[in-house]
């Protein structure tokens, strides 16, 4: 069962906590309640009912105007066909690369809107700006910035493991870097740190990651500092499984 909490001004976090290798881990989607309601990430295919039911606590899921995926991966877009069936008027928005590399070769039947860096979707009150953020952590990765609430949606950057509350104020930066080293999602620190510089300049009030709680503006610098100062790139482990000896 997913829980839903309003984090700030029409932005709702829908979160399910699951056990992965005996440890709690969260999958979040974000609903923006607006003239054109938007769902950011869908969750995996089999999470559809719980995410849809959580959306239905706030608005009719058939009214969704946009479903937005931030890179092509099951937790981002595994439910896209099912949300399309429930909201036939919706548009799937993604990065230009997600479309060119993936969606254009898939059998998705709905409307698709690819976006490049700097483009904006107007939902009514909220305006979502697209940031192309290649290799954080996929080639096609992007993030969103809502100008209205100064909210960053960074997908898998700024995440936390464990069963977190909807809003996180603690310094869990070192734990985040340790988790990244274990799962091996970033090939290298450099493209990530370049994006960290860029999103810091946006001066966000909120950071709504896909895994863990939403960060306040007071907590955000802890995570920025950890990403600047600590190693977090691939060190020979995939989802905790050693594949090769660590580089020296
Ligand atoms: Fe991902
Ligand atoms: Fe993710």
């Amino acid at each position: 069962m997913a829980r839903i909490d309003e984090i700030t001004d029409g932005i709702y976090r829908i979160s399910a906590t699951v056990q992965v290798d005996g440890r709690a881990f969260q999958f979040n989607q974000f609903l923006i309640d607006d003239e054109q309601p938007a769902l950011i990430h869908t969750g995996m295919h089999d999470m559809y009912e719980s995410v849809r039911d959580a959306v239905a606590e706030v608005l009719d899921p058939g009214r969704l105007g946009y479903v937005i995926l931030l890179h092509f991966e099951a937790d981002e877009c595994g439910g896209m066909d099912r949300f399309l069936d429930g909201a036939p008027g919706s548009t799937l928005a993604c990065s230009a690369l997600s479309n060119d590399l993936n969606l254009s070769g898939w059998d998705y039947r709905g409307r698709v809107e690819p976006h490049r860096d700097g483009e904006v979707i107007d939902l009514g009150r909220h305006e979502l700006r697209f940031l192309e953020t290649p290799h954080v952590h996929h080639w096609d990765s992007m993030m969103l910035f809502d100008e209205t609430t100064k909210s960053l949606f960074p997908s898998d950057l700024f995440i936390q493991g464990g069963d977190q509350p909807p809003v996180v104020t603690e310094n869990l930066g070192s734990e985040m870097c340790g988790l990244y080293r274990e799962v091996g999602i970033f090939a290298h620190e450099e493209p990530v740190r370049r994006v960290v510089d860029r999103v810091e300049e946006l001066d966000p009030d909120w950071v709504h990651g896909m895994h863990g709680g939403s960060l306040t503006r007071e907590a955000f610098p802890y995570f920025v500092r950890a990403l600047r100062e600590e190693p977090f790139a691939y060190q020979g482990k995939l989802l905790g499984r050693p594949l090769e000896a660590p580089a020296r």
Side-chain angles (χ1 to χ4, degrees):
M1 267 304 291
R3 63 176 281 181
I4 182 162
D5 299 270
E6 185 172 13
I7 307 293
T8 184
D9 196 12
I11 297 180
Y12 293 81
R13 171 184 177 268
I14 298 167
S15 185
T17 302
V18 301
Q19 294 295 315
V20 180
D21 293 334
R23 280 185 235 168
F25 193 70
Q26 293 176 316
F27 290 90
N28 304 329
Q29 283 69 51
F30 293 93
L31 173 67
I32 305 182
D33 182 10
D34 210 321
E35 288 166 34
Q36 291 244 66
L39 182 68
I40 301 174
H41 343 127
T42 66
M44 280 86 89
H45 192 258
D46 64 1
M47 288 170 63
Y48 170 72
E49 280 90 359
S50 69
V51 177
R52 180 207 54 200
D53 290 353
V55 170
E57 289 183 36
V58 177
L59 53 88
D60 173 5
R63 277 187 55 223
L64 281 175
Y66 279 100
V67 174
I68 306 176
L69 68 97
L70 304 182
H71 53 262
F72 217 85
E73 206 169 42
D75 56 355
E76 289 283 346
C77 59
M80 62 187 177
D81 288 313
R82 303 182 77 185
F83 276 100
L84 174 68
D85 288 342
S90 63
T91 296
L92 189 66
C94 60
S95 73
L97 262 75
S98 284
N99 182 58
D100 296 350
L101 302 173
N102 288 305
L103 267 171
S104 58
W106 236 260
D107 59 353
Y108 188 72
R109 292 164 284 112
R111 203 175 116 79
V112 176
E113 215 178 80
H115 286 279
R116 292 191 173 180
D117 196 83
E119 293 178 2
V120 172
I121 291 181
D122 187 354
L123 302 180
R125 276 193 328 106
H126 299 80
E127 291 195 341
L128 301 177
R129 191 183 344 152
F130 284 75
L131 314 175
E132 290 185 282
T133 58
H135 308 297
V136 185
H137 63 118
H138 284 277
W139 192 14
D140 64 328
S141 286
M142 68 171 208
M143 298 182 185
L144 287 172
F145 188 70
D146 172 30
E147 313 276 357
T148 309
T149 60
K150 298 194 76 177
S151 281
L152 178 71
F153 296 90
S155 187
D156 295 321
L157 192 60
F158 306 113
I159 69 172
Q160 314 103 51
D163 191 14
Q164 301 295 342
V167 174
V168 162
T169 54
E170 280 182 88
N171 182 355
L172 297 171
S174 291
E175 287 84 345
M176 168 185 69
C177 291
L179 177 62
Y180 287 151
R181 290 193 299 273
E182 276 300 300
V183 298
I185 76 169
F186 295 116
H188 198 280
E189 277 94 3
E190 199 276 334
V192 181
R193 286 181 176 149
R194 208 187 298 180
V195 166
V196 167
D197 290 347
R198 187 174 177 204
V199 298
E200 189 184 40
E201 277 175 25
L202 296 171
D203 192 25
D205 282 338
W206 291 98
V207 177
H208 309 290
M210 180 188 247
H211 310 283
S214 291
L215 304 179
T216 61
R217 67 178 297 118
E218 291 74 25
F220 178 56
Y222 298 138
F223 292 78
V224 166
R225 192 177 320 133
L227 289 166
R228 288 215 173 101
E229 295 177 359
E230 299 180 30
F232 59 83
Y234 174 70
Q235 293 189 351
K237 281 188 177 179
L238 284 178
L239 297 175
R241 173 171 57 92
L243 190 67
E244 55 190 74
R248 273 180 281 172

